[in-house]
């Protein structure tokens, strides 16, 4: 299986650069990943990482507010950004002849962003309205916040990425400027470019634009950052939310575990990734076959393994069928997981799922944004290019014995679980 063919080097100011040439069409994905996320925010300043993502679209010395995006759109491209617990990333997809212009604009806002009360406080109001619409008025998001708060005690993953309302309300222009000066530095960033370009072209342009940005350090910041430690979960936990606004009831179970960065003796990520596919990766998976096709207790069920810098989690999510209670669904899933632990794996089924999963990883590579997203996400979480390039081979080498060891560790009590219910309440709140 062919790889990305990525090359990496570091500018003199500590900024890492990665190029993934792909000449299939004359377009380029340009991404800058900053090693700063919601989990790195100062105490009492929750939401500032996401808030600052918005502020990066304000003006610079040579660009009016919003002009960056207008120039990209006018030339047939698109741009946006996203914030996670561990990183913030900005991206543009552009015609290849726009690379020089986009690099110049992105480098400029890395060190010449202009923030005043007139631009910061209206944007803070936008964030508060976003929180109201996306979280406070959405029972699913309210439950998700409660799940994270319970799953990661004593760790910043317990705070929402968008922030708590009362702390967003107190964020100031001085807070934003201090955050910008501390974290938006070349040595804290990774430039990832995928598409119709060459190593030579990117070296020239990266040195010209990003190499001119001053930096307080000359070596890249480490991916691992000093954060508090979340203690092991020693008891089963249960969280439920009943709300008349619930349109679709949901059952969810999660298991937290330290990431490979914190526990190198743990079973590797590819084992849990493949276990998720075997259990709930599609219409032929174990749980889907049992709960949806055979028992008809659910209309959907999936399993997922989530990677992060400090803690990963394995989750199973199911939507009950009509007239099936969450109690009945939970009992059926628990019995199915017990049966999974005592039933020999279907070797041919595992082989088919493994091949389908590997095919999907190949499709992900055969796109413009896919390689830039995969590589940037991996590097900012402390992985290497070699880790990414060898991942398909590692998946191929996962054994049935390893899959069952992972399943035993999750479902037999070694890792305690958190179960969450989202349930429709028949009567409105405050009804006597």
């Amino acid at each position: 299986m062919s790889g990305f063919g990525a090359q990496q080097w570091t500018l003199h100011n500590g900024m890492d650069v990665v190029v993934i040439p792909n000449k299939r069409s004359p377009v380029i994905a340009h991404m800058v990943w900053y090693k700063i996320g919601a989990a790195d925010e100062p105490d009492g300043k929750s939401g500032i990482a996401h808030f600052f993502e918005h502020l990066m679209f304000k003006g610079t010395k040579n660009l009016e507010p919003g002009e960056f995006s207008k120039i990209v759109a006018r030339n047939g491209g698109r741009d946006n950004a996203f914030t996670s617990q561990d990183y913030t990333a900005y991206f543009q997809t552009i015609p290849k002849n726009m690379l020089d212009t986009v690099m110049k604009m992105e480098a400029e806002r890395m060190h010449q962003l202009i923030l005043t009360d007139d631009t910061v406080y209206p944007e803070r109001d936008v964030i508060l309205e976003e929180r109201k619409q996306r979280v406070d008025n959405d029972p699913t998001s309210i439950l998700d916040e409660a799940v994270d708060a319970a799953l990661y005690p004593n760790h910043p993953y317990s705070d929402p990425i968008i922030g708590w309302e009362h702390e967003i309300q107190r964020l100031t222009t001085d807070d934003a400027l201090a955050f910008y000066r501390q974290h938006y530095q070349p040595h804290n960033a990774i430039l990832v470019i995928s598409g119709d370009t060459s190593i030579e072209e990117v070296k020239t342009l990266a040195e010209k634009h990003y190499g001119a940005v001053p930096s307080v350090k000359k070596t890249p910041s480490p991916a691992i950052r000093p954060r508090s430690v979340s203690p092991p979960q020693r008891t089963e936990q249960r969280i439920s939310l009943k709300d008349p606004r619930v349109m679709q009831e949901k059952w969810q179970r999660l298991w937290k575990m330290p990431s490979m960065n914190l526990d190198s003796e743990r079973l590797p990520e590819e084992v849990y990734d493949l276990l998720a596919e075997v259990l709930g990766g599609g219409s032929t998976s174990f749980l889907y076959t049992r709960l949806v096709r055979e028992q008809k207790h659910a209309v959907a069920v999936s399993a997922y393994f989530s990677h992060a810098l400090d803690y990963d989690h394995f989750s199973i999510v199911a939507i009950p069928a009509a007239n099936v209670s969450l109690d009945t669904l939970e009992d059926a899933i628990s019995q199915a997981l017990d049966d999974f632990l005592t039933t020999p794996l279907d070797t041919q089924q595992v082989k088919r799922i493994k091949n389908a999963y590997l095919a999907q990883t190949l499709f992900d590579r055969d796109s413009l944004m896919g390689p830039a997203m995969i590589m940037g996400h991996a590097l900012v979480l402390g992985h290497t290019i070699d880790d990414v390039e060898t991942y398909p081979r590692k998946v191929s080498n996962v054994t049935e014995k390893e899959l069952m060891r992972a399943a035993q560790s999750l479902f037999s009590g070694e890792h305690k679980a958190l179960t969450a219910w989202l349930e429709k309440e028949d009567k409105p709140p405050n009804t006597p």
Side-chain angles (χ1 to χ4, degrees):
M1 183 179 292
S2 61
F4 289 97
Q7 290 199 30
Q8 179 179 13
W9 69 92
T10 303
L11 301 179
H12 71 279
N13 58 10
M15 184 172 184
D16 279 327
V17 182
V18 177
V19 181
I20 310 164
N22 182 344
K23 302 283 186 178
R24 289 194 174 188
S25 57
V27 289
I28 288 173
H30 172 274
M31 302 192 76
V32 174
W33 297 72
Y34 289 94
K35 299 171 193 172
I36 176 68
D40 304 301
E41 295 164 337
D43 290 343
K45 308 289 184 186
S46 69
I48 193 168
H50 170 255
F51 183 26
F52 206 85
E53 175 207 314
H54 282 233
L55 295 177
M56 280 286 276
F57 291 86
K58 302 305 177 185
T60 65
K61 179 181 177 183
N62 298 303
L63 294 168
E64 294 294 322
E67 189 177 357
F68 189 133
S69 297
K70 290 178 182 175
I71 291 173
V72 171
R74 197 160 55 232
N75 286 274
R78 67 183 184 93
D79 72 324
N80 212 327
F82 51 88
T83 304
S84 82
Q85 290 285 6
D86 296 317
Y87 52 78
T88 306
Y90 301 83
F91 68 88
Q92 301 83 34
T93 55
I94 50 173
K96 61 178 294 184
N97 62 2
M98 282 287 293
L99 183 58
D100 182 59
T101 300
V102 164
M103 275 196 179
K104 178 182 178 182
M105 295 191 296
E106 191 68 87
E108 182 170 324
R109 69 176 174 179
M110 183 183 286
H111 71 122
Q112 291 185 323
L113 192 67
I114 296 175
L115 297 178
T116 65
D117 290 352
D118 291 339
T119 55
V120 169
Y121 292 125
E123 196 63 36
R124 187 180 64 183
D125 292 339
V126 170
I127 301 292
L128 287 165
E129 183 61 26
E130 179 183 345
R131 184 188 156 85
K132 184 180 299 181
Q133 292 185 6
R134 293 175 51 187
V135 180
D136 301 331
N137 290 328
D138 180 3
T140 299
S141 296
I142 293 171
L143 180 65
D144 289 343
E145 277 195 349
V147 166
D148 286 342
L151 194 63
Y152 303 108
N154 197 47
H155 189 276
Y157 288 175
S158 60
D159 289 332
I161 293 170
I162 198 168
W164 301 111
E165 181 180 9
H166 66 285
E167 293 188 347
I168 298 171
Q169 289 170 337
R170 294 200 297 263
L171 295 176
T172 67
T173 303
D174 286 344
D175 291 332
L177 288 169
F179 190 83
Y180 179 54
R181 290 165 184 149
Q182 181 177 357
H183 299 293
Y184 279 72
Q185 295 275 338
H187 68 270
N188 206 39
I190 304 172
L191 170 66
V192 181
I193 294 180
S194 168
D196 189 4
T197 185
S198 64
I199 305 297
E200 293 73 23
E201 181 185 30
V202 173
K203 279 189 173 178
T204 299
L205 294 178
E207 190 59 45
K208 173 183 173 185
H209 297 300
Y210 292 107
V213 179
S215 182
V216 297
K217 295 181 181 177
K218 302 302 180 186
T219 56
S221 298
I224 308 300
R225 288 152 246 172
R227 294 172 178 166
S228 56
V229 174
S230 185
Q233 186 173 322
R234 301 187 187 281
T235 60
E236 302 290 336
Q237 295 188 75
R238 181 175 294 274
I239 293 177
S240 65
L241 174 63
K242 286 186 177 181
D243 192 301
R245 297 171 296 179
V246 170
M247 301 299 293
Q248 178 64 68
E249 295 189 332
K250 182 176 76 171
W251 181 94
Q252 186 176 12
R253 183 165 287 172
L254 306 96
W255 295 261
K256 177 188 71 177
M257 66 188 77
S259 71
M260 294 289 290
N261 293 322
L262 301 183
D263 182 5
S264 60
E265 301 299 316
R266 200 200 72 185
L267 280 169
E269 294 167 352
E270 61 269 17
V271 178
Y272 290 100
D273 283 336
L274 192 58
L275 177 63
E277 291 297 312
V278 171
L279 279 171
S283 60
T284 62
S285 64
F286 180 84
L287 289 175
Y288 191 95
T289 299
R290 172 72 69 89
L291 296 160
V292 178
R293 292 166 55 190
E294 295 178 358
Q295 298 179 342
K296 305 189 186 311
H297 286 321
V299 294
V301 61
S302 60
Y304 187 70
F305 186 60
S306 177
H307 306 240
L309 190 63
D310 295 339
Y311 294 96
D312 302 334
H313 73 256
F314 192 95
S315 62
I316 296 174
V317 180
I319 306 298
N323 302 318
V324 173
S325 70
L326 289 170
D327 274 317
T328 299
L329 179 61
E330 178 169 312
D331 289 344
I333 293 175
S334 297
Q335 184 60 56
L337 294 178
D338 287 344
D339 293 345
F340 184 80
L341 293 177
T342 56
T343 305
L345 287 169
D346 181 336
T347 301
Q348 291 304 313
Q349 174 74 346
V350 171
K351 185 177 179 181
R352 283 194 295 273
I353 289 173
K354 192 181 283 189
N355 288 338
Y357 187 59
L358 288 170
Q360 184 58 53
T361 63
L362 184 60
F363 295 148
D364 290 342
R365 292 164 182 239
D366 192 26
S367 68
L368 180 64
M369 281 298 292
M373 288 289 294
I374 293 169
M375 195 63 73
H377 181 262
L379 296 179
V380 83
L381 293 186
H383 297 290
T384 65
I385 287 179
D386 186 62
D387 291 335
V388 178
E389 297 284 18
T390 58
Y391 178 77
R393 176 165 54 80
K394 292 175 181 174
V395 171
S396 296
N397 293 336
V398 171
T399 66
E400 293 179 18
K401 186 177 180 180
E402 288 175 316
L403 288 174
M404 293 311 297
R405 276 182 58 200
Q408 287 282 355
S409 74
L410 293 171
F411 311 138
S412 66
E414 178 181 339
H415 294 284
K416 301 300 182 186
L418 186 155
T419 303
W421 283 23
L422 182 64
E423 193 170 3
K424 184 171 181 59
E425 188 174 49
D426 292 331
K427 59 183 181 180
N430 303 321
T431 299

